[in-house]
Amino acid sequence: MITRLFSAALRGVDAQEVEVEVNARGADKPLIIIVGLPDTSVKESSQRVTSAISASALSYADGVNTVNLAPADVKKEGPSFDLPIALAMAAANVLQPFNAEDCCVVGELGLDGTVRPVKGVLSIALEAKRRGRKRLLVPDANAAEAAIVDGIDVIPIRNLRQAWDFLQGDHIIPPFKLDRRAFFDSHRSYDIDFDEVKGQHHVKRALEVAAAGNHNLLMVGPPGTGKSMLAKRVPTIMPDMTEDEAIETTKIHSITGLLDPKRAFLTTRPFRSPHHTISDAGLLGGGTNPGPGEVSLAHHGILFLDELPEFRRQTLEVLRQPLEDGTVSISRAAGSFLFPARFLLVAALNPCPCGFALRRSRKDEGRRWPKINIQPGNGVLHT
């Protein structure tokens, strides 16, 4: 008997629908075969799935269970296929399986049948809506993130048995409701504020101009003058993110697993400050199945490069395309990927190796400030 459910695989910053098919047939010994270009974590799901099914008082057919993840030419990564595979295997062992043509199902399973959160739920919800699915079964911890998308019922799932009873019609789970506007407004605040900076009016004025006009900025000054402190507060004076900008940014952070589970939605502009030893792939994105890098994580926010001369020249040169186009294009054997990367670049450096070229002597540190020197048009600010 063949049963099927719909799930989704992450591809870049978007998701692609995946059809989970299970064919159960008799054999001398039980065997689970997963095909459809799965990675190691997907192949290992057979052990989690069988344990979870037994712990949930369900059963699957004895013999060979072939699990096909279609389309077969798209690489499947991560544990998010555990829940749909388990449900499809259990359904293949009953005479009247449920009808789940309007459902999309994602979730990682524990050995006891509990459903654990997964990455990229927002992208999966957008893909499910685009495909016309009416219901989305997600882990309870991911419900708020998925509910950002209008037009689809988000069903929070805590364990495998609850998902089975819901699809069988034996248990009613109300869709998760989220007041997006109220949630958006209540979380639009920063832990720090530009108003906390006392003095340094010349520097603050330059930062305000840069933030207002989206001008990239370079700050040059001795150590301890507050370059990093000021840079961290630039997002607080930038315009508030729109809902569309917030959804774009949240998708990127969700896919990389950096989304705060307590907030589920990125409502403030991101601030990314990579170390100067970062690689090209870490900055732009990459990997076997390419994922976003720091420039994409800073989308609609700030990318701060502290101690700019310490970065490798090649690493700085790869910033040309995202600064000009606002996107990053990466081509691999798996295909071509386009990541958004529209950010404000703020950099800081010392005027010399010792850091005190702009002071008369080190004894003057903390007591004497040099005159401000802002050269029009070049975006360089001396503090």
Side-chain angles (χ1 to χ4, degrees):
M1 181 176 183
I2 298 178
T3 58
R4 70 174 185 172
L5 282 172
F6 294 100
S7 187
L10 298 177
R11 184 174 175 81
V13 295
D14 297 313
Q16 181 173 347
E17 186 173 82
V18 172
E19 185 176 338
V20 180
E21 297 177 309
V22 174
N23 180 26
R25 61 186 187 275
D28 295 336
K29 59 180 181 179
L31 180 64
I32 298 177
I33 303 173
I34 301 178
V35 297
L37 210 60
D39 72 344
T40 302
S41 61
V42 179
K43 292 178 180 178
E44 291 176 347
S45 67
S46 61
Q47 304 301 317
R48 296 189 295 271
V49 164
T50 54
S51 177
I53 289 176
S54 299
S56 302
L58 299 173
S59 62
Y60 59 96
D62 294 331
V64 177
N65 286 266
T66 303
V67 180
N68 179 40
L69 305 177
D73 60 341
V74 176
K75 188 172 182 61
K76 320 301 188 305
E77 293 185 334
S80 62
F81 298 102
D82 289 0
L83 183 57
I85 290 175
L87 290 170
M89 286 179 57
N93 197 38
V94 298
L95 294 177
Q96 293 182 343
F98 47 74
N99 183 7
E101 291 293 324
D102 65 339
C103 290
C104 179
V105 184
V106 293
E108 176 186 351
L109 287 176
L111 297 181
D112 59 351
T114 57
V115 179
R116 296 171 178 169
V118 295
K119 301 177 182 177
V121 169
L122 179 56
S123 297
I124 293 172
L126 291 169
E127 173 67 6
K129 178 183 177 181
R130 189 181 71 84
R131 292 281 185 167
R133 308 301 167 199
K134 302 300 183 183
R135 297 178 294 175
L136 175 63
L137 276 65
V138 299
D140 183 65
N142 293 127
E145 178 186 345
I148 296 171
V149 180
D150 291 329
I152 186 170
D153 291 337
V154 176
I155 310 300
I157 300 298
R158 292 189 175 89
N159 54 67
L160 174 59
R161 185 70 204 196
Q162 185 186 40
W164 173 263
D165 291 341
F166 172 78
L167 291 176
Q168 288 285 70
D170 299 331
H171 181 56
I172 297 176
I173 304 176
F176 187 92
K177 298 298 183 182
L178 178 69
D179 188 342
R180 191 166 64 176
R181 171 55 60 184
F183 183 88
F184 193 78
D185 293 338
S186 63
H187 290 77
R188 191 184 289 176
S189 61
Y190 296 87
D191 297 330
I192 57 178
D193 200 302
F194 198 76
D195 189 53
E196 297 170 349
V197 182
K198 306 303 179 184
Q200 304 196 31
H201 301 291
H202 54 311
V203 188
K204 289 159 63 175
R205 174 58 179 165
L207 291 173
E208 290 168 358
V209 172
N214 198 37
H215 304 301
N216 299 320
L217 183 73
L218 172 63
M219 293 186 289
V220 182
T225 53
K227 300 185 296 297
S228 300
M229 179 269 295
L230 286 162
K232 292 177 181 178
R233 285 163 171 77
V234 173
T236 67
I237 61 173
M238 297 177 70
D240 291 334
M241 281 203 297
T242 64
E243 288 193 23
D244 290 340
E245 289 177 339
I247 289 175
E248 286 182 12
T249 309
T250 301
K251 281 174 55 178
I252 300 170
H253 285 249
S254 175
I255 286 173
T256 55
L258 297 177
L259 193 62
D260 186 354
K262 296 181 180 179
R263 304 186 71 169
F265 194 38
L266 203 63
T267 56
T268 56
R269 296 193 179 273
F271 179 87
R272 304 296 301 180
S273 180
H275 193 262
H276 63 262
T277 57
I278 190 171
S279 65
D280 297 354
L283 190 63
L284 288 187
T288 306
N289 187 22
E294 289 291 336
V295 294
S296 296
L297 291 170
H299 186 53
H300 292 312
I302 299 293
L303 178 66
F304 178 53
L305 303 183
D306 199 8
E307 303 297 343
L308 187 66
E310 300 296 332
F311 286 82
R312 294 181 303 152
R313 179 176 178 178
Q314 180 181 350
T315 302
L316 296 178
E317 288 179 347
V318 299
L319 287 173
R320 179 186 57 81
Q321 183 195 11
L323 284 173
E324 291 181 356
D325 302 336
T327 57
V328 174
S329 179
I330 297 177
S331 297
R332 295 289 186 271
S336 297
F337 300 82
L338 193 67
F339 299 114
R342 195 168 298 280
F343 57 88
L344 176 62
L345 177 63
V346 178
L349 58 87
N350 295 328
C352 66
C354 77
F356 296 92
L358 298 181
R359 298 189 186 277
R360 288 181 176 177
S361 68
R362 292 197 181 188
K363 294 180 181 180
D364 294 330
E365 183 180 356
R367 292 185 290 175
R368 182 185 181 278
W369 282 80
K371 293 182 179 180
I372 183 67
N373 177 18
I374 303 177
Q375 302 176 17
N378 64 3
V380 178
L381 168 66
H382 295 282
T383 62

